[in-house]
Amino acid sequence: NEGFDPGLAHVIPNGVNCEDYQPRPGDPALRASLGIPEEGPVAAIIAAVRPEKRHDLYIETAARIVKEIPAARFLVIGDGPSRDDFHGLARDSGVEEEVVFLGARHDIPDLLGIVDAIVLPSTDVESAPICLLEALAAGVPQVASRIGGIPDIVEDGQTGFLVEAGDIDGLVEHLLTLFTRQEVRDRMAGASRKRALEVFSVEKMVRAHEFLMETLVAERGATG
């Protein structure tokens, strides 16, 4: 409670550009340039490389999955002060080759074309992560923690999977499902795109702002 009437609050979801971010076939040349095996499944985390984003959980998940799927690759997209620390953790965990640190990138829509699942294992605070909205629009299933605003974006069992914060077993289980069951991946991809268009498009966000402003102006006129 911040001391004001909750009835005065209006929630407008963030929007994502559903033209820039849309399902696209993976580019074999891009995979090859990143050293990703031709047939191997790919996960990605897109986030600032800081402790609170819990790249350590992502790396531990990778270490467990590659024991079952050696060709799997785990992209780390983004940069930050903890990059060297997490790179060292990947090396110490025996997945220095499988966890691929890409740094900051400006070709996220293309990268999403080669990704089978977006992972966000944060355990503390998340509001409305843009990476999950982009994943929805691109038709990429999500595996993320059930914290903050994430459950408002990821529809559990429909567009992706939610896990309790810190649940590595859940991360591993759901990623293995997406890596090995094409029918689940395809179903969630379609549901993700549909949800982006219906709830999180830029057009929806702009119209919601316009409607709110029109409503406030009308109310002020009626009381003036």
Side-chain angles (χ1 to χ4, degrees), residues 90-121:
R91 182 182 60 248
D92 294 343
S93 300
V95 287
E96 185 174 21
E97 178 180 338
E98 290 82 3
V99 178
V100 184
F101 288 80
L102 300 184
R105 301 281 297 210
H106 301 288
D107 58 346
I108 302 299
D110 293 325
L111 287 168
L112 287 173
I114 65 171
V115 169
D116 298 296
I118 285 292
V119 184
L120 191 61

Side-chain angles (χ1 to χ4, degrees), residues 178-190:
L178 291 170
F179 281 177
T180 60
R181 295 181 60 188
Q182 171 118 26
E183 74 281 5
V184 175
R185 195 165 67 246
D186 289 347
R187 174 175 61 80
M188 289 187 165

Side-chain angles (χ1 to χ4, degrees):
N1 188 340
E2 299 295 332
F4 61 84
D5 182 358
L8 298 176
H10 298 268
V11 177
I12 298 176
N14 282 335
V16 62
N17 188 324
C18 291
E19 292 188 9
D20 289 347
Y21 290 88
Q22 58 180 292
R24 64 186 67 196
D27 181 356
L30 179 57
R31 290 179 70 101
S33 73
L34 301 177
I36 297 173
E38 185 176 344
E39 298 299 326
V42 180
I45 180 172
I46 306 175
V49 187
R50 302 193 304 260
E52 62 267 25
K53 296 297 182 179
R54 300 308 304 268
H55 289 73
D56 56 324
L57 298 178
Y58 182 67
I59 291 167
E60 184 172 345
T61 299
R64 289 172 56 172
I65 287 179
V66 298
K67 292 177 181 177
E68 297 191 41
I69 309 177
R73 292 295 181 268
F74 296 79
L75 306 183
V76 177
I77 303 170
D79 214 338
S82 299
R83 176 170 174 165
D84 289 344
D85 292 338
F86 287 127
H87 195 280
L89 177 60
R91 182 182 60 248
D92 294 343
S93 300
V95 287
E96 185 174 21
E97 178 180 338
E98 290 82 3
V99 178
V100 184
F101 288 80
L102 300 184
R105 301 281 297 210
H106 301 288
D107 58 346
I108 302 299
D110 293 325
L111 287 168
L112 287 173
I114 65 171
V115 169
D116 298 296
I118 285 292
V119 184
L120 191 61
S122 306
T123 56
D124 188 11
V125 176
E126 287 288 355
S127 53
I130 296 299
C131 67
L132 296 179
L133 299 179
E134 293 170 348
L136 284 178
V140 178
Q142 317 87 48
V143 180
S145 300
R146 193 190 300 273
I147 64 170
I150 291 177
D152 295 326
I153 298 174
V154 178
E155 197 169 6
D156 191 26
Q158 299 300 315
T159 71
F161 296 106
L162 293 173
V163 301
E164 298 307 316
D167 180 9
I168 294 180
D169 289 342
L171 292 172
V172 171
E173 175 189 351
H174 294 315
L175 272 179
L176 283 173
T177 295
L178 291 170
F179 281 177
T180 60
R181 295 181 60 188
Q182 171 118 26
E183 74 281 5
V184 175
R185 195 165 67 246
D186 289 347
R187 174 175 61 80
M188 289 187 165
S192 293
R193 178 66 179 176
K194 183 173 183 287
R195 184 163 173 76
L197 291 171
E198 292 180 350
V199 182
F200 294 108
S201 71
V202 167
E203 291 78 12
K204 290 278 188 181
M205 180 182 70
V206 170
R207 283 198 291 270
H209 279 283
E210 290 174 342
F211 178 76
L212 175 59
M213 288 186 285
E214 290 167 359
T215 300
L216 293 175
V217 169
E219 289 176 353
R220 179 178 289 270
T223 58

